[in-house]
Amino acid sequence: MISIKKYNDKLQYDWDDFIKKSKYGTIFHNQKFLSYHIEKQFDDFSLFFYKNKILVAVFPAAIVCSNNNKQLISHPGASFGGFVCKKNDFTLCFDIINAFEKYCKKNKIVSCKIIPTPSYYATNCDTLLDYVLTAKKYYTSERYISHIIYLNDNNPISYFNSRKKRYMKNKFINGSLCFQKIDNVDSFYSILLENKKKFNALPTHSLEEIKKLLRLYPKECNLLGTFKMGKLIGGVFVLQTSTNSALLFYNAVNNNNEKNHIGLFQVYECIKWCLNKKIQVLDLGVSHLPSNKNPLDPKISLIKFKEQCGAVGVMRSVFTKNII
């Protein structure tokens, strides 16, 4: 018998401790992380799932209302969420989803949208929960293309194609560039704004949100930059999402240095950084054109760049179902 309890702030330790010990738990599932938003307000509706009074799963979520209809969605404060289970047991997963749907009906939630944690974020990946959702008539409402680098070689230059290797050796290796921690967050953010302006977009995070994340997670959230003659010309915001994985969230370059392939250099340095931390998967993020009529159109130039850095394409799916 599965029972469900709605999350509240007094239960933050129980939640975050469960995430820490779970197979698919990442920084994005922590309530401490989900609370960092300053300019955005969410109607949090995160859920605990118990079997015989033992916590077996959680679901970080929020309620969105449209035309007086309530939709329960994976928490919009994170790149992905979905159910995080204590163990991937076939029968248990079915029991959790059945109890979840009954709970939604009881609370007059008309539909739900679930963004599962990508399987490659776990040491031993499986897609059992994806199967269960499909079997329960959840349909794939969105598909994203993302790229990851499996870090199975200790030589950071080995991941790049032959042309990029030659360029790296000729231009960057033992060159005049310095890659190190950025102390002045404002300087990085001004470069990031420059980059986003070209696409009529804004960064996902505000300046104050990045500063707050760096305070909340000084070890996991890292702001690293490329310096030339002591001047910041580019930088990355990279999150260690779990002991096994990291996400390169921003790779920004000063407009005056775009043609110098600094973005390539910064991917190389991120690979080095991950190898030093024994991280096995570096996620380079999704590659789409959000300003297009279809925001899920692939950004081909970005995809090619990631492939040249040794990344492989992986599909991320969003599952949706009408409950009532």
Side-chain angles (χ1 to χ4, degrees), residues 256-275:
N256 296 328
N257 289 274
E258 278 190 326
K259 295 182 180 179
N260 296 327
H261 299 272
I262 301 303
L264 175 70
F265 172 74
Q266 291 180 161
V267 173
Y268 167 78
E269 289 292 338
C270 279
I271 291 173
K272 283 175 59 178
W273 180 85
C274 287
L275 290 172

mmCIF file with all atom_site columns, all heavy atoms in Angstrom, residues 256-275:
data_model
loop_
_atom_site.group_PDB
_atom_site.id
_atom_site.type_symbol
_atom_site.label_atom_id
_atom_site.label_alt_id
_atom_site.label_comp_id
_atom_site.label_asym_id
_atom_site.label_entity_id
_atom_site.label_seq_id
_atom_site.pdbx_PDB_ins_code
_atom_site.Cartn_x
_atom_site.Cartn_y
_atom_site.Cartn_z
_atom_site.occupancy
_atom_site.B_iso_or_equiv
_atom_site.pdbx_formal_charge
_atom_site.auth_seq_id
_atom_site.auth_comp_id
_atom_site.auth_asym_id
_atom_site.auth_atom_id
_atom_site.pdbx_PDB_model_num
ATOM 1   N N   . ASN A 1 256 ? 34.612 39.892 -28.671 1.00 0.00 ? 256 ASN A N   1
ATOM 2   C CA  . ASN A 1 256 ? 35.866 40.180 -29.380 1.00 0.00 ? 256 ASN A CA  1
ATOM 3   C C   . ASN A 1 256 ? 36.743 38.947 -29.561 1.00 0.00 ? 256 ASN A C   1
ATOM 4   O O   . ASN A 1 256 ? 37.724 38.987 -30.305 1.00 0.00 ? 256 ASN A O   1
ATOM 5   C CB  . ASN A 1 256 ? 36.656 41.265 -28.639 1.00 0.00 ? 256 ASN A CB  1
ATOM 6   C CG  . ASN A 1 256 ? 35.920 42.591 -28.603 1.00 0.00 ? 256 ASN A CG  1
ATOM 7   O OD1 . ASN A 1 256 ? 35.178 42.915 -29.531 1.00 0.00 ? 256 ASN A OD1 1
ATOM 8   N ND2 . ASN A 1 256 ? 36.110 43.349 -27.534 1.00 0.00 ? 256 ASN A ND2 1
ATOM 9   N N   . ASN A 1 257 ? 36.407 37.864 -28.873 1.00 0.00 ? 257 ASN A N   1
ATOM 10  C CA  . ASN A 1 257 ? 37.254 36.659 -28.913 1.00 0.00 ? 257 ASN A CA  1
ATOM 11  C C   . ASN A 1 257 ? 36.540 35.432 -29.480 1.00 0.00 ? 257 ASN A C   1
ATOM 12  O O   . ASN A 1 257 ? 37.067 34.327 -29.406 1.00 0.00 ? 257 ASN A O   1
ATOM 13  C CB  . ASN A 1 257 ? 37.759 36.345 -27.504 1.00 0.00 ? 257 ASN A CB  1
ATOM 14  C CG  . ASN A 1 257 ? 38.791 37.347 -27.029 1.00 0.00 ? 257 ASN A CG  1
ATOM 15  O OD1 . ASN A 1 257 ? 39.971 37.208 -27.301 1.00 0.00 ? 257 ASN A OD1 1
ATOM 16  N ND2 . ASN A 1 257 ? 38.338 38.366 -26.308 1.00 0.00 ? 257 ASN A ND2 1
ATOM 17  N N   . GLU A 1 258 ? 35.345 35.638 -30.040 1.00 0.00 ? 258 GLU A N   1
ATOM 18  C CA  . GLU A 1 258 ? 34.577 34.503 -30.544 1.00 0.00 ? 258 GLU A CA  1
ATOM 19  C C   . GLU A 1 258 ? 35.321 33.719 -31.623 1.00 0.00 ? 258 GLU A C   1
ATOM 20  O O   . GLU A 1 258 ? 35.262 32.500 -31.679 1.00 0.00 ? 258 GLU A O   1
ATOM 21  C CB  . GLU A 1 258 ? 33.237 34.995 -31.100 1.00 0.00 ? 258 GLU A CB  1
ATOM 22  C CG  . GLU A 1 258 ? 32.195 35.216 -30.016 1.00 0.00 ? 258 GLU A CG  1
ATOM 23  C CD  . GLU A 1 258 ? 30.827 35.470 -30.623 1.00 0.00 ? 258 GLU A CD  1
ATOM 24  O OE1 . GLU A 1 258 ? 30.762 36.076 -31.698 1.00 0.00 ? 258 GLU A OE1 1
ATOM 25  O OE2 . GLU A 1 258 ? 29.840 35.049 -30.015 1.00 0.00 ? 258 GLU A OE2 1
ATOM 26  N N   . LYS A 1 259 ? 36.027 34.429 -32.509 1.00 0.00 ? 259 LYS A N   1
ATOM 27  C CA  . LYS A 1 259 ? 36.707 33.771 -33.620 1.00 0.00 ? 259 LYS A CA  1
ATOM 28  C C   . LYS A 1 259 ? 37.985 33.060 -33.189 1.00 0.00 ? 259 LYS A C   1
ATOM 29  O O   . LYS A 1 259 ? 38.624 32.388 -33.992 1.00 0.00 ? 259 LYS A O   1
ATOM 30  C CB  . LYS A 1 259 ? 37.014 34.790 -34.719 1.00 0.00 ? 259 LYS A CB  1
ATOM 31  C CG  . LYS A 1 259 ? 35.764 35.371 -35.378 1.00 0.00 ? 259 LYS A CG  1
ATOM 32  C CD  . LYS A 1 259 ? 36.121 36.338 -36.489 1.00 0.00 ? 259 LYS A CD  1
ATOM 33  C CE  . LYS A 1 259 ? 34.861 36.916 -37.131 1.00 0.00 ? 259 LYS A CE  1
ATOM 34  N NZ  . LYS A 1 259 ? 35.188 37.883 -38.216 1.00 0.00 ? 259 LYS A NZ  1
ATOM 35  N N   . ASN A 1 260 ? 38.352 33.209 -31.920 1.00 0.00 ? 260 ASN A N   1
ATOM 36  C CA  . ASN A 1 260 ? 39.575 32.579 -31.415 1.00 0.00 ? 260 ASN A CA  1
ATOM 37  C C   . ASN A 1 260 ? 39.317 31.205 -30.792 1.00 0.00 ? 260 ASN A C   1
ATOM 38  O O   . ASN A 1 260 ? 40.199 30.642 -30.152 1.00 0.00 ? 260 ASN A O   1
ATOM 39  C CB  . ASN A 1 260 ? 40.247 33.496 -30.383 1.00 0.00 ? 260 ASN A CB  1
ATOM 40  C CG  . ASN A 1 260 ? 40.714 34.798 -31.000 1.00 0.00 ? 260 ASN A CG  1
ATOM 41  O OD1 . ASN A 1 260 ? 41.110 34.838 -32.164 1.00 0.00 ? 260 ASN A OD1 1
ATOM 42  N ND2 . ASN A 1 260 ? 40.671 35.881 -30.229 1.00 0.00 ? 260 ASN A ND2 1
ATOM 43  N N   . HIS A 1 261 ? 38.095 30.697 -30.950 1.00 0.00 ? 261 HIS A N   1
ATOM 44  C CA  . HIS A 1 261 ? 37.739 29.347 -30.491 1.00 0.00 ? 261 HIS A CA  1
ATOM 45  C C   . HIS A 1 261 ? 37.919 29.174 -28.976 1.00 0.00 ? 261 HIS A C   1
ATOM 46  O O   . HIS A 1 261 ? 38.293 28.100 -28.509 1.00 0.00 ? 261 HIS A O   1
ATOM 47  C CB  . HIS A 1 261 ? 38.560 28.290 -31.238 1.00 0.00 ? 261 HIS A CB  1
ATOM 48  C CG  . HIS A 1 261 ? 38.330 28.285 -32.713 1.00 0.00 ? 261 HIS A CG  1
ATOM 49  N ND1 . HIS A 1 261 ? 37.339 27.550 -33.313 1.00 0.00 ? 261 HIS A ND1 1
ATOM 50  C CD2 . HIS A 1 261 ? 38.954 28.958 -33.720 1.00 0.00 ? 261 HIS A CD2 1
ATOM 51  C CE1 . HIS A 1 261 ? 37.353 27.738 -34.617 1.00 0.00 ? 261 HIS A CE1 1
ATOM 52  N NE2 . HIS A 1 261 ? 38.331 28.603 -34.901 1.00 0.00 ? 261 HIS A NE2 1
ATOM 53  N N   . ILE A 1 262 ? 37.616 30.236 -28.236 1.00 0.00 ? 262 ILE A N   1
ATOM 54  C CA  . ILE A 1 262 ? 37.730 30.159 -26.777 1.00 0.00 ? 262 ILE A CA  1
ATOM 55  C C   . ILE A 1 262 ? 36.702 29.180 -26.202 1.00 0.00 ? 262 ILE A C   1
ATOM 56  O O   . ILE A 1 262 ? 36.962 28.491 -25.213 1.00 0.00 ? 262 ILE A O   1
ATOM 57  C CB  . ILE A 1 262 ? 37.570 31.557 -26.142 1.00 0.00 ? 262 ILE A CB  1
ATOM 58  C CG1 . ILE A 1 262 ? 38.638 32.515 -26.680 1.00 0.00 ? 262 ILE A CG1 1
ATOM 59  C CG2 . ILE A 1 262 ? 37.670 31.473 -24.614 1.00 0.00 ? 262 ILE A CG2 1
ATOM 60  C CD1 . ILE A 1 262 ? 40.064 32.045 -26.464 1.00 0.00 ? 262 ILE A CD1 1
ATOM 61  N N   . GLY A 1 263 ? 35.526 29.097 -26.836 1.00 0.00 ? 263 GLY A N   1
ATOM 62  C CA  . GLY A 1 263 ? 34.517 28.135 -26.374 1.00 0.00 ? 263 GLY A CA  1
ATOM 63  C C   . GLY A 1 263 ? 35.034 26.710 -26.435 1.00 0.00 ? 263 GLY A C   1
ATOM 64  O O   . GLY A 1 263 ? 34.761 25.895 -25.548 1.00 0.00 ? 263 GLY A O   1
ATOM 65  N N   . LEU A 1 264 ? 35.804 26.394 -27.471 1.00 0.00 ? 264 LEU A N   1
ATOM 66  C CA  . LEU A 1 264 ? 36.435 25.081 -27.605 1.00 0.00 ? 264 LEU A CA  1
ATOM 67  C C   . LEU A 1 264 ? 37.434 24.847 -26.476 1.00 0.00 ? 264 LEU A C   1
ATOM 68  O O   . LEU A 1 264 ? 37.450 23.780 -25.842 1.00 0.00 ? 264 LEU A O   1
ATOM 69  C CB  . LEU A 1 264 ? 37.131 24.987 -28.958 1.00 0.00 ? 264 LEU A CB  1
ATOM 70  C CG  . LEU A 1 264 ? 37.947 23.729 -29.246 1.00 0.00 ? 264 LEU A CG  1
ATOM 71  C CD1 . LEU A 1 264 ? 37.029 22.526 -29.414 1.00 0.00 ? 264 LEU A CD1 1
ATOM 72  C CD2 . LEU A 1 264 ? 38.807 23.921 -30.498 1.00 0.00 ? 264 LEU A CD2 1
ATOM 73  N N   . PHE A 1 265 ? 38.254 25.854 -26.229 1.00 0.00 ? 265 PHE A N   1
ATOM 74  C CA  . PHE A 1 265 ? 39.237 25.770 -25.150 1.00 0.00 ? 265 PHE A CA  1
ATOM 75  C C   . PHE A 1 265 ? 38.557 25.522 -23.810 1.00 0.00 ? 265 PHE A C   1
ATOM 76  O O   . PHE A 1 265 ? 39.036 24.736 -22.984 1.00 0.00 ? 265 PHE A O   1
ATOM 77  C CB  . PHE A 1 265 ? 40.049 27.063 -25.111 1.00 0.00 ? 265 PHE A CB  1
ATOM 78  C CG  . PHE A 1 265 ? 40.965 27.192 -23.921 1.00 0.00 ? 265 PHE A CG  1
ATOM 79  C CD1 . PHE A 1 265 ? 42.140 26.450 -23.849 1.00 0.00 ? 265 PHE A CD1 1
ATOM 80  C CD2 . PHE A 1 265 ? 40.663 28.055 -22.872 1.00 0.00 ? 265 PHE A CD2 1
ATOM 81  C CE1 . PHE A 1 265 ? 42.984 26.572 -22.755 1.00 0.00 ? 265 PHE A CE1 1
ATOM 82  C CE2 . PHE A 1 265 ? 41.502 28.178 -21.781 1.00 0.00 ? 265 PHE A CE2 1
ATOM 83  C CZ  . PHE A 1 265 ? 42.675 27.440 -21.721 1.00 0.00 ? 265 PHE A CZ  1
ATOM 84  N N   . GLN A 1 266 ? 37.410 26.150 -23.600 1.00 0.00 ? 266 GLN A N   1
ATOM 85  C CA  . GLN A 1 266 ? 36.718 26.022 -22.318 1.00 0.00 ? 266 GLN A CA  1
ATOM 86  C C   . GLN A 1 266 ? 36.096 24.635 -22.146 1.00 0.00 ? 266 GLN A C   1
ATOM 87  O O   . GLN A 1 266 ? 36.035 24.123 -21.016 1.00 0.00 ? 266 GLN A O   1
ATOM 88  C CB  . GLN A 1 266 ? 35.683 27.142 -22.175 1.00 0.00 ? 266 GLN A CB  1
ATOM 89  C CG  . GLN A 1 266 ? 36.371 28.490 -22.010 1.00 0.00 ? 266 GLN A CG  1
ATOM 90  C CD  . GLN A 1 266 ? 35.431 29.688 -21.855 1.00 0.00 ? 266 GLN A CD  1
ATOM 91  O OE1 . GLN A 1 266 ? 35.845 30.731 -21.383 1.00 0.00 ? 266 GLN A OE1 1
ATOM 92  N NE2 . GLN A 1 266 ? 34.180 29.564 -22.250 1.00 0.00 ? 266 GLN A NE2 1
ATOM 93  N N   . VAL A 1 267 ? 35.658 24.017 -23.221 1.00 0.00 ? 267 VAL A N   1
ATOM 94  C CA  . VAL A 1 267 ? 35.187 22.624 -23.131 1.00 0.00 ? 267 VAL A CA  1
ATOM 95  C C   . VAL A 1 267 ? 36.355 21.717 -22.747 1.00 0.00 ? 267 VAL A C   1
ATOM 96  O O   . VAL A 1 267 ? 36.224 20.832 -21.886 1.00 0.00 ? 267 VAL A O   1
ATOM 97  C CB  . VAL A 1 267 ? 34.550 22.156 -24.453 1.00 0.00 ? 267 VAL A CB  1
ATOM 98  C CG1 . VAL A 1 267 ? 34.224 20.658 -24.387 1.00 0.00 ? 267 VAL A CG1 1
ATOM 99  C CG2 . VAL A 1 267 ? 33.280 22.947 -24.748 1.00 0.00 ? 267 VAL A CG2 1
ATOM 100 N N   . TYR A 1 268 ? 37.505 21.935 -23.384 1.00 0.00 ? 268 TYR A N   1
ATOM 101 C CA  . TYR A 1 268 ? 38.723 21.168 -23.064 1.00 0.00 ? 268 TYR A CA  1
ATOM 102 C C   . TYR A 1 268 ? 39.062 21.298 -21.578 1.00 0.00 ? 268 TYR A C   1
ATOM 103 O O   . TYR A 1 268 ? 39.351 20.304 -20.895 1.00 0.00 ? 268 TYR A O   1
ATOM 104 C CB  . TYR A 1 268 ? 39.875 21.669 -23.932 1.00 0.00 ? 268 TYR A CB  1
ATOM 105 C CG  . TYR A 1 268 ? 41.248 21.200 -23.518 1.00 0.00 ? 268 TYR A CG  1
ATOM 106 C CD1 . TYR A 1 268 ? 41.689 19.913 -23.815 1.00 0.00 ? 268 TYR A CD1 1
ATOM 107 C CD2 . TYR A 1 268 ? 42.119 22.052 -22.828 1.00 0.00 ? 268 TYR A CD2 1
ATOM 108 C CE1 . TYR A 1 268 ? 42.952 19.484 -23.433 1.00 0.00 ? 268 TYR A CE1 1
ATOM 109 C CE2 . TYR A 1 268 ? 43.384 21.638 -22.448 1.00 0.00 ? 268 TYR A CE2 1
ATOM 110 C CZ  . TYR A 1 268 ? 43.793 20.351 -22.750 1.00 0.00 ? 268 TYR A CZ  1
ATOM 111 O OH  . TYR A 1 268 ? 45.041 19.923 -22.376 1.00 0.00 ? 268 TYR A OH  1
ATOM 112 N N   . GLU A 1 269 ? 39.012 22.518 -21.053 1.00 0.00 ? 269 GLU A N   1
ATOM 113 C CA  . GLU A 1 269 ? 39.340 22.744 -19.645 1.00 0.00 ? 269 GLU A CA  1
ATOM 114 C C   . GLU A 1 269 ? 38.291 22.126 -18.720 1.00 0.00 ? 269 GLU A C   1
ATOM 115 O O   . GLU A 1 269 ? 38.620 21.648 -17.636 1.00 0.00 ? 269 GLU A O   1
ATOM 116 C CB  . GLU A 1 269 ? 39.480 24.238 -19.371 1.00 0.00 ? 269 GLU A CB  1
ATOM 117 C CG  . GLU A 1 269 ? 40.726 24.876 -19.965 1.00 0.00 ? 269 GLU A CG  1
ATOM 118 C CD  . GLU A 1 269 ? 42.009 24.387 -19.306 1.00 0.00 ? 269 GLU A CD  1
ATOM 119 O OE1 . GLU A 1 269 ? 41.957 23.889 -18.161 1.00 0.00 ? 269 GLU A OE1 1
ATOM 120 O OE2 . GLU A 1 269 ? 43.088 24.525 -19.929 1.00 0.00 ? 269 GLU A OE2 1
ATOM 121 N N   . CYS A 1 270 ? 37.029 22.125 -19.146 1.00 0.00 ? 270 CYS A N   1
ATOM 122 C CA  . CYS A 1 270 ? 35.981 21.479 -18.349 1.00 0.00 ? 270 CYS A CA  1
ATOM 123 C C   . CYS A 1 270 ? 36.193 19.966 -18.278 1.00 0.00 ? 270 CYS A C   1
ATOM 124 O O   . CYS A 1 270 ? 35.955 19.346 -17.238 1.00 0.00 ? 270 CYS A O   1
ATOM 125 C CB  . CYS A 1 270 ? 34.601 21.779 -18.936 1.00 0.00 ? 270 CYS A CB  1
ATOM 126 S SG  . CYS A 1 270 ? 33.952 23.388 -18.481 1.00 0.00 ? 270 CYS A SG  1
ATOM 127 N N   . ILE A 1 271 ? 36.642 19.384 -19.392 1.00 0.00 ? 271 ILE A N   1
ATOM 128 C CA  . ILE A 1 271 ? 36.959 17.951 -19.394 1.00 0.00 ? 271 ILE A CA  1
ATOM 129 C C   . ILE A 1 271 ? 38.088 17.676 -18.400 1.00 0.00 ? 271 ILE A C   1
ATOM 130 O O   . ILE A 1 271 ? 38.012 16.726 -17.606 1.00 0.00 ? 271 ILE A O   1
ATOM 131 C CB  . ILE A 1 271 ? 37.329 17.478 -20.813 1.00 0.00 ? 271 ILE A CB  1
ATOM 132 C CG1 . ILE A 1 271 ? 36.098 17.509 -21.720 1.00 0.00 ? 271 ILE A CG1 1
ATOM 133 C CG2 . ILE A 1 271 ? 37.921 16.067 -20.774 1.00 0.00 ? 271 ILE A CG2 1
ATOM 134 C CD1 . ILE A 1 271 ? 36.393 17.216 -23.173 1.00 0.00 ? 271 ILE A CD1 1
ATOM 135 N N   . LYS A 1 272 ? 39.120 18.503 -18.411 1.00 0.00 ? 272 LYS A N   1
ATOM 136 C CA  . LYS A 1 272 ? 40.225 18.360 -17.454 1.00 0.00 ? 272 LYS A CA  1
ATOM 137 C C   . LYS A 1 272 ? 39.708 18.462 -16.020 1.00 0.00 ? 272 LYS A C   1
ATOM 138 O O   . LYS A 1 272 ? 40.084 17.676 -15.145 1.00 0.00 ? 272 LYS A O   1
ATOM 139 C CB  . LYS A 1 272 ? 41.280 19.446 -17.698 1.00 0.00 ? 272 LYS A CB  1
ATOM 140 C CG  . LYS A 1 272 ? 42.184 19.199 -18.884 1.00 0.00 ? 272 LYS A CG  1
ATOM 141 C CD  . LYS A 1 272 ? 43.126 20.372 -19.136 1.00 0.00 ? 272 LYS A CD  1
ATOM 142 C CE  . LYS A 1 272 ? 44.014 20.686 -17.952 1.00 0.00 ? 272 LYS A CE  1
ATOM 143 N NZ  . LYS A 1 272 ? 44.937 21.810 -18.263 1.00 0.00 ? 272 LYS A NZ  1
ATOM 144 N N   . TRP A 1 273 ? 38.859 19.441 -15.789 1.00 0.00 ? 273 TRP A N   1
ATOM 145 C CA  . TRP A 1 273 ? 38.288 19.665 -14.457 1.00 0.00 ? 273 TRP A CA  1
ATOM 146 C C   . TRP A 1 273 ? 37.508 18.430 -14.001 1.00 0.00 ? 273 TRP A C   1
ATOM 147 O O   . TRP A 1 273 ? 37.638 17.992 -12.858 1.00 0.00 ? 273 TRP A O   1
ATOM 148 C CB  . TRP A 1 273 ? 37.396 20.904 -14.516 1.00 0.00 ? 273 TRP A CB  1
ATOM 149 C CG  . TRP A 1 273 ? 36.711 21.291 -13.251 1.00 0.00 ? 273 TRP A CG  1
ATOM 150 C CD1 . TRP A 1 273 ? 37.212 22.055 -12.240 1.00 0.00 ? 273 TRP A CD1 1
ATOM 151 C CD2 . TRP A 1 273 ? 35.376 20.931 -12.852 1.00 0.00 ? 273 TRP A CD2 1
ATOM 152 N NE1 . TRP A 1 273 ? 36.265 22.196 -11.240 1.00 0.00 ? 273 TRP A NE1 1
ATOM 153 C CE2 . TRP A 1 273 ? 35.147 21.520 -11.593 1.00 0.00 ? 273 TRP A CE2 1
ATOM 154 C CE3 . TRP A 1 273 ? 34.366 20.181 -13.450 1.00 0.00 ? 273 TRP A CE3 1
ATOM 155 C CZ2 . TRP A 1 273 ? 33.931 21.374 -10.917 1.00 0.00 ? 273 TRP A CZ2 1
ATOM 156 C CZ3 . TRP A 1 273 ? 33.162 20.033 -12.772 1.00 0.00 ? 273 TRP A CZ3 1
ATOM 157 C CH2 . TRP A 1 273 ? 32.953 20.633 -11.520 1.00 0.00 ? 273 TRP A CH2 1
ATOM 158 N N   . CYS A 1 274 ? 36.700 17.855 -14.904 1.00 0.00 ? 274 CYS A N   1
ATOM 159 C CA  . CYS A 1 274 ? 35.917 16.656 -14.575 1.00 0.00 ? 274 CYS A CA  1
ATOM 160 C C   . CYS A 1 274 ? 36.814 15.454 -14.297 1.00 0.00 ? 274 CYS A C   1
ATOM 161 O O   . CYS A 1 274 ? 36.580 14.692 -13.348 1.00 0.00 ? 274 CYS A O   1
ATOM 162 C CB  . CYS A 1 274 ? 34.958 16.327 -15.719 1.00 0.00 ? 274 CYS A CB  1
ATOM 163 S SG  . CYS A 1 274 ? 33.556 17.445 -15.875 1.00 0.00 ? 274 CYS A SG  1
ATOM 164 N N   . LEU A 1 275 ? 37.837 15.275 -15.115 1.00 0.00 ? 275 LEU A N   1
ATOM 165 C CA  . LEU A 1 275 ? 38.743 14.138 -14.914 1.00 0.00 ? 275 LEU A CA  1
ATOM 166 C C   . LEU A 1 275 ? 39.433 14.225 -13.559 1.00 0.00 ? 275 LEU A C   1
ATOM 167 O O   . LEU A 1 275 ? 39.626 13.207 -12.884 1.00 0.00 ? 275 LEU A O   1
ATOM 168 C CB  . LEU A 1 275 ? 39.775 14.101 -16.042 1.00 0.00 ? 275 LEU A CB  1
ATOM 169 C CG  . LEU A 1 275 ? 39.240 13.710 -17.429 1.00 0.00 ? 275 LEU A CG  1
ATOM 170 C CD1 . LEU A 1 275 ? 40.325 13.893 -18.490 1.00 0.00 ? 275 LEU A CD1 1
ATOM 171 C CD2 . LEU A 1 275 ? 38.726 12.274 -17.436 1.00 0.00 ? 275 LEU A CD2 1
#
